[in-house]
Each structure stands twice: as C-alpha cells, then as structure tokens.
Amino acid sequence: FGPDVLCSYDLQVALNTPIAIVKYARGGTNLASDWSPVSTSPTTLYNTMKYWANTGLANLPSGKIKGFFWMQGESDVNATMANAYQTNLANFIAKVRLDFGNSSLPFVLGRISRSGGVYRNTGRLTQMSIAASTPNVYICDTDDLPLIGDNIHFTSAGEVTLGHRMAAG
C-alpha cells in the first residue's frame, strides 16, 4: 500500500501496458548526506537505490527507467540544510539522469507540505524553481492532502490521492 502502487496502477491503465516499479525508501533522511549522489560510499541510500534499480532493470525487456517519483524533503528543510536544498536537489536529479542514461528522464516531485516548520517555504520555493527551470520536472501538489497528527505525513486517504496525482504528473 502506498502512492507508488496506486501511481503504477493508474499508469498501467492509462498506457495499457505493464508497469514495473522499483521502490527504495527510508524515512527521516536528507539529500545533503543520506541520498548524496556524490558520495563514493557504496552504502549511501543513493548508491543502494541505484544498485537495486539496476538489478530490477536487468530483468525488464527495455532495461530503462521511464520516470522517477520523489517524495522527500522534511529533513532537508531545517535551519542547517534549507539553504543547500536547491543545490542538493538539482544535483540529485542530474545524477539520476546521468546514471540511468536519460538526460530528459521525467521527475515528479511531491511538493513539501506547508505545515511543520519555518523552513518549509524554502523547500517549496526550491522545488517550484527547479520544476520551472529544469525540463521534465513536475510538481505534484500535496497542499490539500490530509495529514496525520504529526502534521508531516499523509493519512491513508492522502497516500491514495498522492498516488493518483503522481500518475497524472
């Protein structure tokens, strides 16, 4: 259960073709270090994601990623990391595109929620700026999705709606 399953289902129906998904996620992480694509450590989340994606792609006829969906950011919009978020996100997108051999790979970014902290707006503005200035980067609006009590994570209904919106990307 999650937005990835619903997104892939919607895309499969719309495109009338089977969809394979590779999901690699870890909560409470950031682009600055955890997902850093410039780290040479094989155990970073980026390098582990790349390994599992390539393993999955090796079993597919096309062997190619057709789209990338990214819902992350709450750990990047705090006092120490918010100002570096634009560089980190731009570098992440560029490195994914380079590593998977598609310079125009579509990226769908789930927009950081408005609630939960003073640096949220920095992250939101960064996401919108990157989507406006980078080809094939799209924003998925999350502003009206219901949140659980922590005011950060979506309810089950919010996850369902997020999956449908990401597919519409």
Side-chain angles (χ1 to χ4, degrees):
F1 174 77
D4 45 336
V5 174
L6 295 158
C7 178
S8 63
Y9 175 80
D10 285 358
L11 289 171
Q12 182 169 307
V13 169
L15 300 172
N16 195 29
T17 188
I19 299 289
I21 59 172
V22 175
K23 178 178 182 173
Y24 191 74
R26 185 89 43 94
T29 61
N30 63 67
L31 280 170
S33 58
D34 301 317
W35 288 95
S36 174
V38 296
S39 173
T40 56
S41 169
T43 60
T44 64
L45 294 178
Y46 181 85
N47 288 328
T48 304
M49 175 276 300
K50 190 170 77 170
Y51 169 81
W52 285 113
N54 284 324
T55 300
L57 290 170
N59 295 308
L60 298 177
S62 74
K64 301 261 184 209
I65 289 180
K66 305 290 182 163
F68 202 97
F69 300 87
W70 184 253
M71 184 69 225
Q72 198 264 343
E74 67 268 5
S75 295
D76 286 293
V77 287
N78 61 38
T80 59
M81 288 189 258
N83 291 332
Y85 186 57
Q86 179 137 358
T87 299
N88 293 337
L89 184 57
N91 288 344
F92 180 79
I93 293 169
K95 184 69 167 146
V96 167
R97 287 175 167 174
L98 177 68
D99 286 347
F100 291 104
N102 184 345
S103 63
S104 60
L105 179 70
F107 258 79
V108 178
L109 304 173
R111 184 164 48 187
I112 296 171
S113 173
R114 279 191 257 211
S115 63
V118 296
Y119 295 96
R120 295 286 168 131
N121 201 45
T122 301
R124 291 166 58 83
L125 291 172
T126 290
Q127 289 175 319
M128 292 187 299
S129 172
I130 286 177
S133 64
T134 309
N136 294 327
V137 175
Y138 309 96
I139 296 290
C140 177
D141 186 19
T142 64
D143 286 351
D144 63 338
L145 299 181
L147 301 173
I148 61 174
D150 66 1
N151 279 332
I152 296 172
H153 298 98
F154 304 116
T155 64
S156 296
E159 294 280 347
V160 168
T161 302
L162 177 62
H164 294 307
R165 286 183 184 171
M166 286 187 147

